[in-house]
Amino acid sequence: ILAIAKEFDVPAATVDAFREVEAAGSGFFLEDAPPARPKILFEAHHFGKHTGHKYDRDYPQISAKHWNRRLYVGGRGEYDRLKLAFGLDPKAALMSASWGLPQILGSNWKVAGAESIGDFVEQMFIGEAPQLRYMMNFLKNNGLLDAMRRHDWKLLARRYNGPSYKTNSYDTKLAAAARTSRFA
């Protein structure tokens, strides 16, 4: 965290806050037998979009027109959904999951600084350092490093988590996590 914060010239407590809020402190399912897998959340509405909605009718649990919280199974069960989607369209499946500590959607691989979706996913399995670097590249390439420096939690939450950030209190969670960070 300190090295990444120094590299991007942002407060370490802010980087730590993202780590805590986005992935509950870890980018991996630590209870997995080694090697641990990165945390994911499979997004059916994105898979539907990336596949032209051709699987919506036959695979409603992994392909949908609209976001639906009820489709999430949570935790390691998200890998079952990813595996099913991967069997139908590997690239669309990988691009439709949010990955690792930063929970960056796979379709954002380029703005996160990866060479390809495959490189992005591979790095997610390597460790939290590449996960944090992708997060910081994503924030930088979306013009949000100054917001990190200013602790503009509302702007960060809205641009990183989307318009529903208020529903999930991302701005207040980020602010609280930064205040209580070991780097504060």
Side-chain angles (χ1 to χ4, degrees):
I1 290 174
L2 289 173
I4 293 287
K6 183 176 180 179
E7 179 182 337
F8 287 88
D9 190 29
V10 298
T14 305
V15 175
D16 193 37
F18 270 87
R19 177 198 58 78
E20 181 59 39
V21 171
E22 289 301 321
S26 175
F28 291 91
F29 292 119
L30 299 177
E31 64 275 12
D32 277 0
R37 294 174 293 175
K39 289 181 179 177
I40 65 164
L41 190 60
F42 188 79
E43 302 285 359
H45 63 295
H46 284 284
F47 186 70
K49 180 182 81 170
H50 291 305
T51 58
H53 298 283
K54 67 182 175 183
Y55 299 112
D56 289 5
R57 189 180 52 112
D58 293 335
Y59 297 93
Q61 72 277 33
I62 61 163
S63 188
K65 285 198 188 306
H66 306 288
W67 179 80
N68 181 348
R69 178 186 300 270
R70 292 183 307 236
L71 295 177
Y72 297 138
V73 296
R76 293 173 293 175
E78 293 294 329
Y79 271 94
D80 295 332
R81 297 174 68 222
L82 176 65
K83 183 178 177 183
L84 179 59
F86 192 88
L88 299 170
D89 188 321
K91 185 176 181 181
L94 296 176
M95 292 194 326
S96 299
S98 297
W99 290 90
L101 187 146
Q103 287 297 287
I104 294 174
L105 195 61
S107 59
N108 289 312
W109 61 267
K110 192 176 234 178
V111 74
E115 301 272 328
S116 66
I117 183 61
D119 177 56
F120 176 82
V121 171
E122 181 179 312
Q123 292 297 309
M124 288 292 171
F125 277 84
I126 288 176
E128 289 183 348
Q131 292 179 7
L132 282 172
R133 185 160 285 103
Y134 280 151
M135 178 186 81
M136 295 306 298
N137 284 335
F138 181 87
L139 289 162
K140 176 184 172 185
N141 291 330
N142 280 295
L144 292 171
L145 292 185
D146 283 338
M148 287 185 88
R149 294 178 190 115
R150 292 190 319 269
H151 298 133
D152 187 340
W153 305 116
K154 286 184 191 222
L155 177 62
L156 285 165
R158 186 178 75 245
R159 298 275 306 279
Y160 198 86
N161 297 105
S164 66
Y165 79 93
K166 287 182 185 179
T167 305
N168 296 310
S169 304
Y170 279 117
D171 56 336
T172 56
K173 288 176 183 176
L174 283 169
R179 277 193 309 276
T180 59
S181 167
R182 64 184 182 260
F183 302 107

